[in-house]
Amino acid sequence: MTDSTPGGTSAPLSDTTVQDLVLTLQLAAHGDRFGAMVSAALAAEAGSLLGAALEQYLTDPAGDGTVYDAPAAFEAFIRGGGNVGLYQRTSAALAATYRDVRPTTLLEIGCGDGLALLPALDAAGGAAPTSVELVEPSAALLGQCTAALAARDISVTTSGPGTLQDRLDNSDSSWDLAESSFALHALEPTVRTEQLRRLAPRVRRLVLVEFDVHVPEPGTDAHVRELAIRYEKGLAEYTDTRDLVAQGFLAPVLIGQLAPDAPRATWEQPREAWAAQLAEAGFTDITTEDVSPYWWSPAFVLRATGRA
């Protein structure tokens, strides 16, 4: 297996090895697990980090639930490689929004363990909201974020683990600002549009940080090849935590985009599609700007006005 330093790259793969990775993903997408394992082993022998990870994952999948049910791998993922700079810039973008909007109340959608939220609150100083309502389906991640906020002079509200739909169903609250960092892409697009439509009348402003994802048409050879190349690059950014990140997060997220019987964790899209979706849901004054380069796709921030 080729090693690398965090933020580095693996050794260049030959066209044959890339094709072995493509075949691995195609076979996995069609339910041929054994064939996919064989092809992944060939890629691994040629030095592919992704090939080795997929061979192991296809032999013994980490679990049948979502990648957030046991979030240790997710936490290792967001604290390593290119995510270090990505989250620092994301927090800076959120803090800039606080200084601009001066919200009193904040709805934080998909807070995770607070890696983006907490530094943003600290950096904003007196412009930070004084009341934060957390939405997070993972009990473990929600508990960590809640505990961290408890040490700050901020009123924290949460009804326990749940989704944005749960919050909209069970509360008639409204907020000065709603925000989400790399969370709303976990919603299937039609569900996401409906929930944004319900959210629009209840928030004054909205800020999202997401990935500007441009890939070839899903299901095509070009699409699978692009996934293989990008995930190889991403996996190379990890050393000590590589196996944990690969088996508990990157491999299931990748396979989930292709295999119809695998849990899917992401429905991403270009920034233009995000803006159009927000407009369809009733938001106005939509703007976007770049946040950070990244191995998967560049990140951007979207700001919009709600109807509260």
Side-chain angles (χ1 to χ4, degrees):
M1 176 182 290
T2 304
D3 203 355
S4 68
T5 58
T9 58
S10 61
L13 301 179
S14 69
D15 288 342
T16 299
T17 303
V18 172
Q19 189 54 45
D20 284 334
L21 290 174
V22 169
L23 181 59
T24 298
L25 296 176
Q26 290 173 330
L27 291 171
H30 288 87
D32 185 353
R33 185 178 295 271
F34 178 77
M37 288 164 51
V38 172
S39 186
L42 292 174
E45 289 175 4
S48 168
L49 304 177
L50 181 59
L54 289 174
E55 180 186 12
Q56 180 179 343
Y57 180 74
L58 292 166
T59 302
D60 184 22
D64 297 327
T66 76
V67 291
Y68 307 105
D69 289 345
F74 170 70
E75 292 181 284
F77 171 68
I78 61 177
R79 284 173 168 77
N83 279 298
V84 176
L86 172 66
Y87 272 79
Q88 289 172 346
R89 297 181 185 102
T90 296
S91 296
L94 297 179
T97 303
Y98 303 156
R99 289 189 287 268
D100 178 51
V101 176
R102 297 277 171 164
T104 298
T105 56
L106 170 68
L107 176 66
E108 169 71 19
I109 305 166
C111 63
D113 62 5
L115 185 60
L117 171 65
L118 299 172
L121 294 172
D122 294 341
T130 55
S131 176
V132 178
E133 186 164 354
L134 302 177
V135 173
E136 171 56 51
S138 167
L141 295 174
L142 179 63
Q144 292 182 56
C145 188
T146 302
L149 282 171
R152 293 162 168 82
D153 189 20
I154 296 174
S155 173
V156 183
T157 302
T158 176
S159 57
T163 64
L164 175 58
Q165 181 170 320
D166 295 331
R167 182 85 323 253
L168 295 172
D169 286 345
N170 298 311
S171 169
D172 58 1
S173 299
S174 59
W175 304 273
D176 294 329
L177 178 67
E179 73 179 26
S180 179
S181 303
F182 314 117
L184 288 182
H185 65 232
L187 296 177
E188 189 275 330
T190 57
V191 172
R192 185 164 62 216
T193 298
E194 178 57 28
Q195 293 187 20
L196 288 170
R197 183 178 289 114
R198 295 179 61 191
L199 180 65
R202 298 171 60 174
V203 296
R204 184 161 61 91
R205 294 284 292 169
L206 175 73
V207 58
L208 306 179
V209 185
E210 284 290 353
F211 295 113
D212 184 12
V213 179
H214 293 263
V215 292
E217 182 68 23
T220 63
D221 289 352
H223 175 237
V224 178
R225 180 182 177 87
E226 192 67 27
L227 291 178
I229 291 172
R230 294 192 197 187
Y231 272 71
E232 178 79 27
K233 182 178 180 181
L235 192 55
E237 295 187 349
Y238 297 83
T239 51
D240 294 343
T241 60
R242 181 179 294 153
D243 284 346
L244 174 62
V245 167
Q247 300 309 308
F249 191 75
L250 284 180
V253 169
L254 175 56
I255 296 298
Q257 295 177 68
L258 299 169
D261 60 341
R264 184 161 182 171
T266 180
W267 287 265
E268 294 172 310
Q269 57 191 5
R271 74 167 72 186
E272 297 83 4
W274 280 102
Q277 189 169 42
L278 267 291
E280 181 182 352
F283 288 89
T284 58
D285 304 323
I286 299 168
T287 64
T288 67
E289 62 181 90
D290 295 338
V291 167
S292 179
Y294 190 63
W295 63 264
W296 168 234
S297 288
F300 71 98
V301 59
L302 180 151
R303 297 183 176 94
T305 299
R307 302 199 308 274

